[in-house]
Amino acid sequence: MSSHTFVQALLSGILLGCFYAVMALGFSMILGVTRALNLAHGDLIILGGYLGYWLWSGSGLHPLLLVPVAGAALLPLALLCQWLFQRLPEPKELSSLMLTFGLSLLLQNFMLGLWRGEYRIIASEPLTASVRVGSLVLNQGRLIVAAAALILVAALYLGLTRTRWGRAVRATSLDREAAALLGINVDEATRTTFLLAFGLSGGAGVLFATLHYLYPAGGIEVTLLAIVLTIWAGAGRLRSVLLASILLGVIETLTLTWSGPRWRELVVALMLLGSLLARSGGLARSRSR
Amino acid sequence: MPRRGWIGTSLVAAALLLFPPLSGFHPYYLYLVSTALLFGTLATSWNLLAYAGQISFGHAAFFGLGGYTAALVSLSGLSPWLALALGGAVGASGAAAIGMASARLSGASLALGTLAYTEIWRGIAHNWTAVSGGGAGLIGIPPLTPLPWLPLDLARSRTGSYYLALAFLLLVIAVFWGILRSRLGLAFAAVREEEERASLLGVHPLPWKVLAFALSGFFSGLAGGLYVNMVRVVEPDLIFSHYFSILPLVMATFGGLGTLLGPALAALALYLASELLLHPYIPAFHQLPYALALIVVALYLPGGLAGLLPSPSPLPKRGEGETRHGAA
Amino acid sequence: MALLEGQGLSMAFGGLLALRGVDIAVEERQVVGLLGPNGSGKTTLFNILSGLLHPTAGEIWFGGTRVTNLRPWQISRLGIGRTFQIARPFVHSTVFDNVLVGVTFRSRDHVSRGEDRRREAERLLATVGLAGKASALAHTLSLGERKRLELAMALSTRPTLLLLDELASGLSPKGREEVVRFYGQLKERGLTIFAIEHSFRVLARVADRLLVLDQGAIVADGRPEQVLGSPRVVTAYLGEEE
């Protein structure tokens, strides 16, 4: 591998990592606040993607304009899921896996019913062009997606660190009971987290659909990716998720240059199993270690 | 623990199950009932593993390994019967391999590990084109050949696979029944209830957990092999589909964890209801009952799956001891 | 050499030192009592001796064999049995099955007929007075019955050394009297006993020797009348006696 391809791969990897961060954050935030593992996370992203595709093919609008629309469309689902997650019996990690395995199947069936099994992608003209920076060639679509992702992550970061509700969310995610004792409205913080996480996932779906083909069962790979990143970063930790995503993006780009794209899902699944074996503790308790 | 009344019930059920082919069922319905019986086998083997305290979200891996093995062996010209047996063996080995992970993983982590394991095998099947045929899979899997010592023509048409599916289901139920009455059942229950306490009584937990995985994987692999033999094709996205992980989980939890016949009966009822009542009218949504059943079970199963698992904390709950104390 | 010997046993949980270089020796066929205020490290010591925890430093010898880093089932098979202060039966199994587990799996190369094992489990239940409860589920038992079951489970592996964790605590005076008698019976059967008890009165009657643990270190070791009279022990315990 020449140094030139290396730099090229590194840059593409960083761009990919920003995109991964947006795809993983929703999962990580919900795990942080509720200790529930959302296996339907990837399906939510695919659903957002389908909505984006549907709106885009109907209206021809720029896909980026559809990011907030798809995000907003998932908000009612956020409230429904919060209502369901609250009712989960202990231990929440296991019962949430069951519940969301069911939700995942439900969403997949729903998408299969509405859009059948066909593969869809938002092939918007402005996104497919290439940009030359010096001697490096970057895909404009990836650049835009990464920029959009970074803006979303930055906005979320500011929201969580600089605002009152952000502090409430972080305190709830750190220790729910202690937060409640300190007078923080943990139910409201939980609701906010669900709304944000689902909105983010819906929007991320539109970004996803500009880069990858959508199909109803395609969510599992995204879910596994989000779990891997959450294990690496710890639940609900924004900056770590971004760093872990960039790391994964770079690793992936470098290994794909070497092995070809078809091994990707296999590699993600192997990483998940490896990460689980390496830490072998509860997933939600990552913060205290 | 199963009650004795169940044995009588199962005999009656078995007798009833012999009827469909004899009374001239339409081949399509025969195929449906056969598939339902396969799901019964899958659900019972899932339950067998859960009896040892291990919750799997990846039975599709064992099912698919059995399917691919059976397909490859019979395509290579060897007897399809041998292919089925080897499918079971490979299913068992594949399950034992991920069972080793239970040394470090339990509960939700193990469930996620088994989920990832299915994806790993799906990925391998997709990419190892020279052997697995890649995404297109393998076609033209030969049918079962007649056996000289069997009076019934098991090998031909849907009737053969129907009886075989029935035999597999009865076999897994019989084996589970035997296990419940043996040292195995005692070890499985002890490991499930409190692994640490069991280890203080001389039980080395890991081999028992791996054995439970292997047994469960064996029957799942048998079912996978027969399934492939029935549909005559095998594709990675078809056979390593999470459908084959979700359904046994739903059926076993819905039918009653730790009961001998509940999972199989739930499998027959849920599968036939969804295929016969829903599929003709709303084909896209015929999986809806499983999804809803899973959600209901997750929310309302008494004690959740946890009733089945070793207590999550290594120390007994203080509250419980003190209540007892007060009552005594 | 004593049946059980521990040398320089230390246990650190993160920054917390639960045990700091503890030396113990339990002679064969003795009843050795272990005393100490809450948090002094008694249960940690038992967890180390039974293999649930591996000590940060130190060595353990049992019957001349080094058992320091052995796993719980290996230690159990060598002949160390234990009870828990708060009973930990297999709550969804029958009382009978609870005892049968140890009888069945106590030895790797133990070949016996199922019938013999069942008879032995029945005998064990009779020994602790639970014969009538054999088919009850363990979670239906009262506190006192759970303690009996706990003891039967510990005996089910045919141990030569028993680690007993507060057998008498939480019991009525009558129950305690029974526990004292039980200690005597176990000793008569040739068992060696290492027992945590909170009650001085119980220990004074059953123990041949007493060890006192305070803040992870042994602060007294000797005959019961010596130890219980020592000012150091009284200081450590002020306000602890019931």
Side-chain angles (χ1 to χ4, degrees), chain B residues 17 29 36 56 66 112 169 213 262 285 318 324 326:
Chain B
L17 283 169
Y29 292 114
S56 157
L112 279 179
L169 178 58
F213 265 99
F285 291 103
R318 277 208 166 264
R324 288 270 158 209

PDB file of all heavy atoms in Angstrom, chain B residues 17 29 36 56 66 112 169 213 262 285 318 324 326:
ATOM      1  N   LEU B  17     -51.359 -36.998  14.581  1.00  0.00           N
ATOM      2  CA  LEU B  17     -50.421 -36.493  13.587  1.00  0.00           C
ATOM      3  C   LEU B  17     -50.162 -37.509  12.478  1.00  0.00           C
ATOM      4  O   LEU B  17     -49.677 -37.172  11.417  1.00  0.00           O
ATOM      5  CB  LEU B  17     -49.106 -36.116  14.267  1.00  0.00           C
ATOM      6  CG  LEU B  17     -49.150 -34.782  15.021  1.00  0.00           C
ATOM      7  CD1 LEU B  17     -47.916 -34.610  15.864  1.00  0.00           C
ATOM      8  CD2 LEU B  17     -49.300 -33.628  14.044  1.00  0.00           C
ATOM      9  N   TYR B  29     -50.701 -28.484   2.058  1.00  0.00           N
ATOM     10  CA  TYR B  29     -50.992 -28.505   3.496  1.00  0.00           C
ATOM     11  C   TYR B  29     -50.073 -29.460   4.230  1.00  0.00           C
ATOM     12  O   TYR B  29     -49.667 -29.230   5.361  1.00  0.00           O
ATOM     13  CB  TYR B  29     -52.467 -28.844   3.738  1.00  0.00           C
ATOM     14  CG  TYR B  29     -53.365 -27.742   3.256  1.00  0.00           C
ATOM     15  CD1 TYR B  29     -54.243 -27.936   2.184  1.00  0.00           C
ATOM     16  CD2 TYR B  29     -53.309 -26.476   3.843  1.00  0.00           C
ATOM     17  CE1 TYR B  29     -55.037 -26.906   1.716  1.00  0.00           C
ATOM     18  CE2 TYR B  29     -54.097 -25.441   3.375  1.00  0.00           C
ATOM     19  CZ  TYR B  29     -54.965 -25.652   2.311  1.00  0.00           C
ATOM     20  OH  TYR B  29     -55.725 -24.629   1.865  1.00  0.00           O
ATOM     21  N   ALA B  36     -44.362 -26.969  10.203  1.00  0.00           N
ATOM     22  CA  ALA B  36     -44.760 -26.695  11.587  1.00  0.00           C
ATOM     23  C   ALA B  36     -44.077 -27.673  12.537  1.00  0.00           C
ATOM     24  O   ALA B  36     -43.609 -27.287  13.617  1.00  0.00           O
ATOM     25  CB  ALA B  36     -46.278 -26.789  11.723  1.00  0.00           C
ATOM     26  N   SER B  56     -30.640 -18.364  23.725  1.00  0.00           N
ATOM     27  CA  SER B  56     -30.021 -18.213  22.410  1.00  0.00           C
ATOM     28  C   SER B  56     -30.846 -17.282  21.525  1.00  0.00           C
ATOM     29  O   SER B  56     -32.063 -17.395  21.465  1.00  0.00           O
ATOM     30  CB  SER B  56     -29.905 -19.587  21.736  1.00  0.00           C
ATOM     31  OG  SER B  56     -29.814 -19.442  20.338  1.00  0.00           O
ATOM     32  N   GLY B  66     -26.724 -27.057   9.745  1.00  0.00           N
ATOM     33  CA  GLY B  66     -27.287 -28.362   9.394  1.00  0.00           C
ATOM     34  C   GLY B  66     -27.755 -28.376   7.949  1.00  0.00           C
ATOM     35  O   GLY B  66     -27.510 -29.330   7.214  1.00  0.00           O
ATOM     36  N   LEU B 112     -26.560 -11.784  22.678  1.00  0.00           N
ATOM     37  CA  LEU B 112     -25.978 -10.982  21.604  1.00  0.00           C
ATOM     38  C   LEU B 112     -24.865 -11.752  20.882  1.00  0.00           C
ATOM     39  O   LEU B 112     -24.731 -11.665  19.666  1.00  0.00           O
ATOM     40  CB  LEU B 112     -25.389  -9.686  22.166  1.00  0.00           C
ATOM     41  CG  LEU B 112     -26.366  -8.562  22.432  1.00  0.00           C
ATOM     42  CD1 LEU B 112     -25.627  -7.364  23.013  1.00  0.00           C
ATOM     43  CD2 LEU B 112     -27.068  -8.159  21.141  1.00  0.00           C
ATOM     44  N   LEU B 169     -39.352 -34.591  15.643  1.00  0.00           N
ATOM     45  CA  LEU B 169     -39.998 -33.920  16.776  1.00  0.00           C
ATOM     46  C   LEU B 169     -40.165 -34.895  17.943  1.00  0.00           C
ATOM     47  O   LEU B 169     -39.834 -34.579  19.091  1.00  0.00           O
ATOM     48  CB  LEU B 169     -41.353 -33.341  16.353  1.00  0.00           C
ATOM     49  CG  LEU B 169     -42.142 -32.663  17.477  1.00  0.00           C
ATOM     50  CD1 LEU B 169     -41.338 -31.534  18.095  1.00  0.00           C
ATOM     51  CD2 LEU B 169     -43.476 -32.131  16.974  1.00  0.00           C
ATOM     52  N   PHE B 213     -25.633 -26.938  24.606  1.00  0.00           N
ATOM     53  CA  PHE B 213     -25.546 -26.307  23.291  1.00  0.00           C
ATOM     54  C   PHE B 213     -25.457 -27.364  22.197  1.00  0.00           C
ATOM     55  O   PHE B 213     -26.147 -27.295  21.184  1.00  0.00           O
ATOM     56  CB  PHE B 213     -24.317 -25.386  23.218  1.00  0.00           C
ATOM     57  CG  PHE B 213     -24.608 -23.953  23.534  1.00  0.00           C
ATOM     58  CD1 PHE B 213     -24.345 -23.430  24.786  1.00  0.00           C
ATOM     59  CD2 PHE B 213     -25.148 -23.114  22.573  1.00  0.00           C
ATOM     60  CE1 PHE B 213     -24.619 -22.107  25.080  1.00  0.00           C
ATOM     61  CE2 PHE B 213     -25.414 -21.789  22.856  1.00  0.00           C
ATOM     62  CZ  PHE B 213     -25.147 -21.280  24.118  1.00  0.00           C
ATOM     63  N   GLY B 262     -44.919 -27.885  25.797  1.00  0.00           N
ATOM     64  CA  GLY B 262     -45.416 -26.538  25.497  1.00  0.00           C
ATOM     65  C   GLY B 262     -44.831 -25.930  24.234  1.00  0.00           C
ATOM     66  O   GLY B 262     -45.587 -25.499  23.346  1.00  0.00           O
ATOM     67  N   PHE B 285     -47.936  -9.531   6.022  1.00  0.00           N
ATOM     68  CA  PHE B 285     -47.898  -9.363   7.480  1.00  0.00           C
ATOM     69  C   PHE B 285     -48.098 -10.664   8.245  1.00  0.00           C
ATOM     70  O   PHE B 285     -48.452 -10.654   9.402  1.00  0.00           O
ATOM     71  CB  PHE B 285     -48.953  -8.346   7.914  1.00  0.00           C
ATOM     72  CG  PHE B 285     -48.632  -6.960   7.471  1.00  0.00           C
ATOM     73  CD1 PHE B 285     -49.276  -6.382   6.386  1.00  0.00           C
ATOM     74  CD2 PHE B 285     -47.650  -6.230   8.127  1.00  0.00           C
ATOM     75  CE1 PHE B 285     -48.956  -5.106   5.964  1.00  0.00           C
ATOM     76  CE2 PHE B 285     -47.325  -4.949   7.721  1.00  0.00           C
ATOM     77  CZ  PHE B 285     -47.983  -4.384   6.628  1.00  0.00           C
ATOM     78  N   ARG B 318     -30.751  -9.256  49.600  1.00  0.00           N
ATOM     79  CA  ARG B 318     -30.880  -9.083  51.045  1.00  0.00           C
ATOM     80  C   ARG B 318     -32.339  -9.040  51.452  1.00  0.00           C
ATOM     81  O   ARG B 318     -32.729  -9.634  52.439  1.00  0.00           O
ATOM     82  CB  ARG B 318     -30.182  -7.802  51.495  1.00  0.00           C
ATOM     83  CG  ARG B 318     -28.722  -8.034  51.686  1.00  0.00           C
ATOM     84  CD  ARG B 318     -28.103  -7.120  52.699  1.00  0.00           C
ATOM     85  NE  ARG B 318     -26.781  -7.649  53.033  1.00  0.00           N
ATOM     86  CZ  ARG B 318     -26.577  -8.411  54.079  1.00  0.00           C
ATOM     87  NH1 ARG B 318     -27.539  -8.709  54.889  1.00  0.00           N
ATOM     88  NH2 ARG B 318     -25.369  -8.864  54.335  1.00  0.00           N
ATOM     89  N   ARG B 324     -37.926 -13.266  54.961  1.00  0.00           N
ATOM     90  CA  ARG B 324     -38.004 -14.606  55.522  1.00  0.00           C
ATOM     91  C   ARG B 324     -37.729 -14.553  57.019  1.00  0.00           C
ATOM     92  O   ARG B 324     -38.409 -15.170  57.815  1.00  0.00           O
ATOM     93  CB  ARG B 324     -36.950 -15.507  54.873  1.00  0.00           C
ATOM     94  CG  ARG B 324     -37.264 -15.867  53.468  1.00  0.00           C
ATOM     95  CD  ARG B 324     -38.075 -17.142  53.451  1.00  0.00           C
ATOM     96  NE  ARG B 324     -38.801 -17.212  52.219  1.00  0.00           N
ATOM     97  CZ  ARG B 324     -39.955 -17.827  52.084  1.00  0.00           C
ATOM     98  NH1 ARG B 324     -40.510 -18.419  53.102  1.00  0.00           N
ATOM     99  NH2 ARG B 324     -40.572 -17.856  50.940  1.00  0.00           N
ATOM    100  N   GLY B 326     -38.173 -12.127  59.036  1.00  0.00           N
ATOM    101  CA  GLY B 326     -39.305 -11.574  59.754  1.00  0.00           C
ATOM    102  C   GLY B 326     -40.440 -12.581  59.891  1.00  0.00           C
ATOM    103  O   GLY B 326     -41.109 -12.642  60.929  1.00  0.00           O
TER     104      GLY B 326
END
